[in-house]
Structures are given as structure tokens and as C-alpha cells.
Amino acid sequence: MKALRLVCLSVGLVCAAAGAWAQTFDGPQQWRLCAGDDAAASIAACTRLIDSRELVDRNLATVYYNRALAYIGTGDLDAAIRDLGEVITIDPHDATALFNRGNAYNVKGEFARALPDLDASLAIDASRPQRLMARGIARDRTGNHRGALDDFNRALVLDAAFSPLYNNRGNAYRNLGEFPRAVADFDKAIQLNPRYALAMDNRGVAWALQGQWDRALQDFDRSIAINPDSPIVWEDRRSEEHTSELQS
């Protein structure tokens, strides 16, 4: 309701229309649902607020942002990216929207498209390790492994107990062929989170690349025991098991 009042105060001619609209459309309830945890209800309510055409500027951006988060919750990254684009159009300096759109591109595997958003987000606010990690992942996956290490190292200064940072830095070291450093980082990630199945899988790959098949298979088995539904780990295990047989 506060958002609707802000619109009325800033645009006097809209105020009467907003009042009439509120009589037939429960605006405060739609705001509550739009900001709620139920993704489907949030999407529906945010859409009603957008379609009302009563919101402008920051209020409209907030609704688009809430709907984007709800779309992310449902796995509809394309819709989330579109809504985050609307937020960024309204406020090109919204570091959080830039980060979330860049991260959505990362999740889609579109790492080159992620980088401009992540660069822009960090130019505004580089105080959050998750943002540095996201750009580090995009850099690593686009071949800039040294740049990725720089981002992961900067992020670890901000939070030295964040296990995904060690896992992702381990990937960068592995991609550079620095396997002992990679294994040390995967060790640290698993020490911080003993059920970190992905780090176990990544360490298994690092062992396999060094020809240490028994250690690799042991890590793959541990990862599968924690997350038996991961097709990636099963594929890694089958691949390395087959390779070890050829090498023996």
C-alpha cells in the first residue's frame, strides 16, 4: 500500500485512478503475494500489479524484481532475465539486479553474456563474495583462469569460510594443470562441508587427471553416496573407470 501511495503523491492525476482501481482490485493483497515465498502466487500477483499500469519507477522495478526471483524459483531463467532487464532499464545502477541477471546467465551456461553484467555489478559494489565468485566462474569458463583466481582470492579475503569458493578456485587450478593446488582447495571445501558432493566429484577428476584412479573412484563413490541422482558424477565415474581399465 505504501508503494501505491507513493505513486499517487508523485503523479496527482493518477491518484484518483489508483483509488478507483483499489476498490475493485485488492492492491495491498497483491503486494503481499508478489513479495511472498509462493512462487506461483508471487508471479500471478506481480503480473497483476504490472498489468494495472499504476506503478512507475522504483515501485515498478520492485515488482519486476520480485517476479524475477519467483521465476528463478521455478527454474524459468529466461523469464527472470527478461524481468531483471526491466529493472535494469529503470535503474542501470542496480547492482543486485545486474548480479542476478549475470548469475542467471551463468546458470544457463552463457558465461560470455554473464560477464558484462557481473563486471557492472562489481564496479558498483565489490563487497560481497558471491558476486566475485560468480564473475570468477564466468571468467574460468571462458578461459580466463588467472582472472578467475584473482576473483576467488579477493572473495576469500571477504569470507574465508565459504566452501564454494574453494571448490571453484580448485576448478580454476585444475584447468591450469596445477593439480596439487586444486586438490588442496577441494580438500578445504570438503573440510568445511563434509557433504559437499560436487567438491568430491571435482577432486575425483583432479585425481584421475594425475592417473590416481583408485583415489578418483573413491571420491566418485563418496559423491554418489551423498547425491545418487547426479548424472554428472555417474558419467565421471564411468569415464574414469573405463580409462583406468585401459591404462592397466
Side-chain angles (χ1 to χ4, degrees), residues 169-245:
R169 191 175 69 172
N171 284 336
Y173 279 130
R174 188 183 64 198
N175 290 333
L176 286 165
E178 299 182 22
F179 301 122
R181 285 184 166 183
V183 168
D185 270 353
F186 296 137
D187 286 346
K188 182 64 174 180
I190 294 164
Q191 177 190 337
L192 290 168
N193 179 4
R195 294 187 58 79
Y196 201 163
L198 181 58
M200 293 172 192
D201 178 51
N202 286 329
R203 187 174 65 181
V205 173
W207 286 129
L209 289 169
Q210 297 174 85
Q212 300 195 42
W213 314 114
D214 289 342
R215 283 183 164 181
L217 292 172
Q218 183 180 44
D219 269 343
F220 294 144
D221 286 342
R222 289 179 64 196
S223 181
I224 289 168
I226 295 168
N227 186 14
D229 297 324
S230 172
I232 294 174
V233 183
W234 280 104
E235 181 59 30
D236 285 341
R237 192 192 191 287
R238 284 192 293 268
S239 175
E240 301 312 329
E241 187 174 41
H242 177 65
T243 303
S244 67
E245 288 174 354

Side-chain angles (χ1 to χ4, degrees), residues 16-87:
W21 171 72
Q23 292 175 11
T24 58
F25 184 80
D26 189 353
Q29 175 67 3
Q30 298 309 312
W31 272 97
R32 286 191 291 273
L33 290 171
C34 176
D37 295 329
D38 185 317
S42 176
I43 291 167
C46 292
T47 300
R48 292 188 194 101
L49 288 167
I50 293 166
D51 290 347
S52 75
R53 300 186 183 278
E54 297 293 337
L55 305 180
V56 295
D57 299 333
R58 195 66 236 173
N59 292 329
L60 182 60
T62 297
V63 172
Y64 273 117
Y65 184 77
N66 286 341
R67 191 171 71 171
L69 294 183
Y71 278 132
I72 290 172
T74 67
D76 191 345
L77 296 177
D78 289 328
I81 287 169
R82 286 194 297 272
D83 276 357
L84 290 166
E86 295 289 346
V87 178

